[in-house]
Amino acid sequence: MEWLVGPFEVTFVQRALWGGVLVSVICALAGTWIVLRGMAFLGDAMSHGMLPGIAVASLLGGNLLVGAAVSAAVMAAGVGFVGRSPRLSQDTGIGLLFVGMLALGVIIVSGSESFAVDLTGFLFGDVLAVRPADLAYLGGALGVALLISVLGHRPFVALAFDERKAHTLGLRPRLAHTALLALLTLAIVASFHIVGTLLVFGLLIAPPATVLPWARRIPAVMAGSACLGSSATFLGLLLSWHLGTAAGATIAATTVLQFLLSTLTAGLHHRWTRSTATPTADRPHMEYGQPS
């Protein structure tokens, strides 16, 4: 038992665990909608798009979270703007913004003679450096994410499965899309300190994708995602402590491993179900995300 609980008797590891749990819940709320809407590339692009703001904040000695939030907001506004162009596909616009923001961040960093910016820290995170003030910030971010999720649940459901129907029902899909971008921005900004801008994609996308084959309702996907993200944080910190690996990267790798195991198990279950089904049996297809 000492091998299992020993690391979590250390104060900074305890804070890292609580920080990871809070981030897992925030990412579950945002990531579920991102996966259901097929917006994974947007999430990846926005996580990388924070680099210029973080680099400027670090060079000026400012708050990295503020820099990340400003940069992510600019990226979100850019996505909304290019998405209105009838001659440009959304993926193309997102890809160009992604490259442009990433290139700008590298230019800012390379332009520093002292290279004082800690690239490793904000690319891969520093979960073991979570402070009490960070936990308070994450608690506030979770409260805002819950508020957006509750108020926007019905429009988000309609937007995820039939945007035209959302418009017909008067649910204002453009406003819902903007609120969803705000939720995604909040999740990414809140998470980058834990796993970095390169690995935040793991906590945001992997847990919902892992739960999706097994859950039929959106709240169940969110709850399962939060539990998986929290367990990945625990296992990642535990393995990192004993193996001497980077904590943030180990947490992200654990989320991907969970996804691979879930996909393999779901595939085996599907094959077994088909092999045991009678020829005349009619089995309904599983439909994910039924409105609750």
Side-chain angles (χ1 to χ4, degrees):
M1 288 295 293
E2 180 64 24
W3 187 90
L4 184 63
V5 301
F8 300 98
E9 294 176 350
V10 182
T11 303
F12 67 84
V13 180
Q14 293 174 3
R15 288 199 297 264
L17 178 61
W18 280 111
V21 169
L22 290 171
V23 163
S24 296
V25 179
I26 296 171
C27 285
L29 295 174
T32 297
W33 299 113
I34 300 306
V35 171
L36 288 175
R37 288 209 67 199
M39 296 167 59
F41 179 54
L42 173 60
D44 189 30
M46 288 191 63
S47 66
H48 290 73
M50 292 191 303
L51 183 58
I54 297 173
V56 170
S58 182
L59 288 172
L60 297 179
N63 190 310
L64 297 185
L65 291 175
V66 174
V70 171
S71 191
V74 171
M75 181 73 178
V79 169
F81 176 76
V82 300
R84 298 179 182 178
S85 175
R87 297 184 179 182
L88 190 67
S89 70
Q90 189 174 41
D91 282 349
T92 302
I94 293 172
L96 291 173
L97 286 170
F98 167 35
V99 174
M101 294 291 281
L102 187 60
L104 178 60
V106 173
I107 290 171
I108 294 172
V109 172
S110 63
S112 172
E113 295 181 359
S114 61
F115 290 94
V117 179
D118 184 6
L119 280 173
T120 303
F122 62 73
L123 289 179
F124 302 104
D126 192 3
V127 64
L128 298 178
V130 172
R131 301 164 299 176
D134 296 325
L135 295 179
Y137 160 76
L138 290 173
L142 175 57
V144 175
L146 283 171
L147 181 62
I148 295 175
S149 299
V150 171
L151 294 179
H153 180 76
R154 188 163 177 259
F156 288 168
V157 171
L159 188 65
F161 295 100
D162 193 337
E163 185 171 348
R164 288 177 297 179
K165 186 176 181 180
H167 183 75
T168 302
L169 295 174
L171 295 177
R172 304 178 68 179
R174 284 189 178 274
L175 180 60
H177 182 71
T178 301
L180 188 57
L181 283 179
L183 182 60
L184 173 60
T185 301
L186 176 65
I188 291 173
V189 172
S191 306
F192 92 93
H193 185 60
I194 303 297
V195 290
T197 59
L198 293 182
L199 301 177
V200 64
F201 197 60
L203 278 177
L204 187 67
I205 301 299
T210 302
V211 177
L212 206 56
W214 310 101
R216 297 178 62 91
R217 303 182 70 85
I218 291 174
V221 176
M222 290 180 173
S225 300
C227 290
L228 282 177
S230 299
S231 66
T233 299
F234 177 85
L235 291 174
L237 289 172
L238 184 66
L239 293 173
S240 171
W241 179 273
H242 290 292
L243 300 179
T245 56
T250 307
I251 292 171
T254 303
T255 64
V256 176
L257 179 60
Q258 289 175 335
F259 168 74
L260 294 176
L261 291 175
S262 173
T263 301
L264 177 62
T265 305
L268 293 174
H269 176 73
H270 181 65
R271 287 187 179 185
W272 181 82
T273 302
R274 290 185 60 184
S275 65
T276 56
T278 59
T280 58
D282 292 325
R283 294 181 177 270
H285 294 289
M286 181 179 290
E287 296 183 0
Y288 304 129
Q290 295 295 324
S292 57

